[in-house]
């Protein structure tokens, strides 16, 4: 989960590479580096820390080259340091950047060490440079040397390589890690994410697993897994410049929170009709498939799994279907129950999360009814490898803590619920009611965003605590989990979520004046029981913060109450996510953390 960018141009390439790295810092930001052909040498710069420090080094050293590779890192093997930063090199001849994990690195390292190669880093990536150097002694070109890598490397990798003796081109290889080629006029590029190239081109070739490409300013040649020259389909992807900028907001996260009314509108656009969801919104033939579904298996990670947990309630309540939920990192190892009536649903913002992808690939070999992905990135592996797909259309999400991706996933999952129910004729009136409520959802989200001044009042009280507890019941328990995750990710406050009824089975022991308790309490059949749980907190001196829509009926006598807009009960999980996102953001702002790039985290986790 690092970001790679490479460019072969007929102009100075340094600034362009740095700009691309900035756009991929969400993928990792503990160190960065660059290598480029300069005259008959390769200039090589690496820095510990964020891309800004690399940019400053570049300004001092002013290397000028037209062909180069660059990298921003999220450490897996070896701590963040200049020596562990990419590009790695061998014999001052070969330079590589790598995203992924080389699983057989220990045996390869041993083999290369015996041959006299010295390792200066603790990474699993440096050996790639040495392997290439060794290959170049027997192969005729960098292209062939890279093709010769594929039989030796086990694991996931996207690599860009330079050979000092080939100053006119660079070579790429991809296997289970994202890499796209961008096509320009007298210049061509490559990156882990098309976003990094958005200002340079809108024409892309998506590399497939096993592809190797030779990239020069005026040519791109792609060779497939069998080393045959191939034509990969050219895609036009327009990414609006403003989509990848902060605009007037302090952070991407804040911007993305406030984009949610529009993002949800985009998810709904073209997918709902007068009183029902439209046919085949997941792709041709999807309605026919959905009619056969008897069970659902959901697999995802992090925030995306929280969206799945909410949806499991909807599948059961609206479509009458049981759901099995699994962390993608656990799913393959638990001998999952698989049958021909079960639909596999994967949920992922990036579509490149290694565990989720591995789960899909595992499932694709089994006898599931089919696979369906809810995903935000059309060019991603998940989007391309699933039988059916619904894009969330949230636009690029750059803040590491997921916000608009989550609410659009929930919206998309409600569309899936309605489609499943429609396919078997269940609950037509309820479906009509939800469709109507969905049309008002963007407006309701705007109303929830307008609660920011009230949230600003409580944020300082939570910002000076070390722990927090989030409570919800039923369909709101996953929202409590998501609220706790948001708070810990960006403010580093330890936060946990419980179904409120579980409080007295342990966590109540933690309650004292130092433990803020944040409760999600819209009016529903469990609201009264929730009030009893909150009374238990109050009686122990815990500080209560309640988000609800029926203050009087709840009859709470103390604590802070934030009155939420009314909305159809089944959509309230989407609405109640909003104030929790704002709360985390404001708390983190007060604590002065690095909100868009919290320590130790990365947005796209492309390693298992
Ligand atoms: C990382 C991100 C989370 C995200 C999770 C799953 O941990 O920091 O925000 O929820 O990955 O990512 P995905 O792209 O699959 O939704």
């Amino acid at each position: 989960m690092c970001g790679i960018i490479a460019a072969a141009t007929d102009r100075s390439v340094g600034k362009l590479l740095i700009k691309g790295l900035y756009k991929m810092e969400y993928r990792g930001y503990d160190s960065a580096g660059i290598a480029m052909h300069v005259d008959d040498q390769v200039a090589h710069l690496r820095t510990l820390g964020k891309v800004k420090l690399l940019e400053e080094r570049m300004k001092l050293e002013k290397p000028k080259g037209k062909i180069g590779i660059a990298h921003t890192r999220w450490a897996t093997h070896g701590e963040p340091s200049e020596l562990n930063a990419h590009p790695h090199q061998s014999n001052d001849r070969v330079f590589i950047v790598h995203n992924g994990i080389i699983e057989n690195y220990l045996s390869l390292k041993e083999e290369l060490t015996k041959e006299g190669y010295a390792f200066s880093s603790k990474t699993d990536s440096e050996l790639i440079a040495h392997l290439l150097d060794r290959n170049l002694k027997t192969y005729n070109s960098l292209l062939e040397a890279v093709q010769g890598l594929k039989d030796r490397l086990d694991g996931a990798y996207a690599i860009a390589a330079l050979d000092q003796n080939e100053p006119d081109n660079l070579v790429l290889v991809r296997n289970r890690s994202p890499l796209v080629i961008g096509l320009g006029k007298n210049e061509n590029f490559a990156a882990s994410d098309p976003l990094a190239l958005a200002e340079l081109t809108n024409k892309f070739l998506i590399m497939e697993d096993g592809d190797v490409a030779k990239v020069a300013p005026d040519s791109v040649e792609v060779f497939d897994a069998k080393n045959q020259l191939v034509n990969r389909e050219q895609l036009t992807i327009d990414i609006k410049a403003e989509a990848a900028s902060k605009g007037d907001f302090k952070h991407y996260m804040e911007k993305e929170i406030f984009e949610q009314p529009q993002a949800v509108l985009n998810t709904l656009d073209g997918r709902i009709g007068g009183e029902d969801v439209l046919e085949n919104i997941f792709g041709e033939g999807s309605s026919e498939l959905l009619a056969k579904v008897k069970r659902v298996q959901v697999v995802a990670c992090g925030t995306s799994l929280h969206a799945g947990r909410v949806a499991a309630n909807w599948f059961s309540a609206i479509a009458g279907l049981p759901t099995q939920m699994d962390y993608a990192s656990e799913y393959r190892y638990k001998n999952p129950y698989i049958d021909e009536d079960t639909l596999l649903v994967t949920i992922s913002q990036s579509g490149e999360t290694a565990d989720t992808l591995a789960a899909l690939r595992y499932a694709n070999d089994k006898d599931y009814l089919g696979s369906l992905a809810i995903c935000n990135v059309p060019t991603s592996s998940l989007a391309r490898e699933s039988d059916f797909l619904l894009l969330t259309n949230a636009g690029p999400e750059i803040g590491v803590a997921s916000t608009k991706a989550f609410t659009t996933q929930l919206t998309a999952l409600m569309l899936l619920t309605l489609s499943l129910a429609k396919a078997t004729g269940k609950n037509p009136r309820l479906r009509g009611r939800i469709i109507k409520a969905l049309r008002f959802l963007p407006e309701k989200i705007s109303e929830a965003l307008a609660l920011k001044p009230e949230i600003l009042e409580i944020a300082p009280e939570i910002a000076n605590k070390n722990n927090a507890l989030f409570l919800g019941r039923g369909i709101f328990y996953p929202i409590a989990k998501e609220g706790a995750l948001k708070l810990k990710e960006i403010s580093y406050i330890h936060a946990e979520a419980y179904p409120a009824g579980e409080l007295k089975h342990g966590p109540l022991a933690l309650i004292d004046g130092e433990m803020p308790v944040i409760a999600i309490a819209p009016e529903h059949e469990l609201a009264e029981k929730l009030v009893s749980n909150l009374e238990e907190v109050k009686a122990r001196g815990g500080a209560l913060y309640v988000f609800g829509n029926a203050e009087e009926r709840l009859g709470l006598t103390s604590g802070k109450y934030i009155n939420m807009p009314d909305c159809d009960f089944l959509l309230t999980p989407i609405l109640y996510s909003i104030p929790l996102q704002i709360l985390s953001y404001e708390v983190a702002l007060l604590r002065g953390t690095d909100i868009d790039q919290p320590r130790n985290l990365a947005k796209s986790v492309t390693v298992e």
Side-chain angles (χ1 to χ4, degrees), residues 301-304 347-351 353 400 402 409 489 602-603 605:
C301 299
T303 291
S304 297
I347 309 165
S348 172
Q349 188 286 128
S350 62
T353 300
V400 165
S402 190
Q409 282 168 350
E489 276 180 310
K603 184 152 193 71
V605 183

Side-chain angles (χ1 to χ4, degrees), residues 1 26 300-306 347-354 356-357 374-377 382 397 399-403 405 409 482 485-486 489 598 601-605:
M1 43 207 258
Y26 74 86
C301 299
T303 291
S304 297
L305 188 68
H306 293 158
I347 309 165
S348 172
Q349 188 286 128
S350 62
E352 298 293 352
T353 300
T356 311
L357 262 178
I374 303 290
C375 184
N376 195 35
V377 180
L382 198 78
E397 188 182 66
V400 165
S402 190
T403 53
Q409 282 168 350
E482 174 61 9
L485 177 68
K486 279 298 79 91
E489 276 180 310
L601 299 181
K603 184 152 193 71
S604 187
V605 183

Side-chain angles (χ1 to χ4, degrees), residues 69-118:
I69 57 179
H71 187 271
T72 178
R73 180 168 186 250
W74 185 86
T76 54
H77 297 61
E79 75 281 0
S81 72
E82 196 171 316
L83 281 181
N84 289 334
H86 300 220
H88 292 286
Q89 62 88 23
S90 185
N91 283 329
D92 288 329
R93 174 177 180 184
V94 183
F95 295 79
I96 66 100
V97 288
H98 165 227
N99 172 31
I101 297 262
I102 305 302
E103 285 161 8
N104 57 337
Y105 87 103
L106 282 175
S107 61
L108 287 172
K109 199 168 172 177
E110 204 180 305
E111 176 185 323
L112 289 158
T113 308
K114 278 191 195 140
E115 287 177 28
Y117 281 101

Side-chain angles (χ1 to χ4, degrees), residues 63 136 143 162 277 388 414 440 472 477 596:
L136 279 165
L143 174 73
L162 296 181
V277 64
F388 296 100
M414 180 49 100
F440 286 104
Y477 170 52
D596 282 335

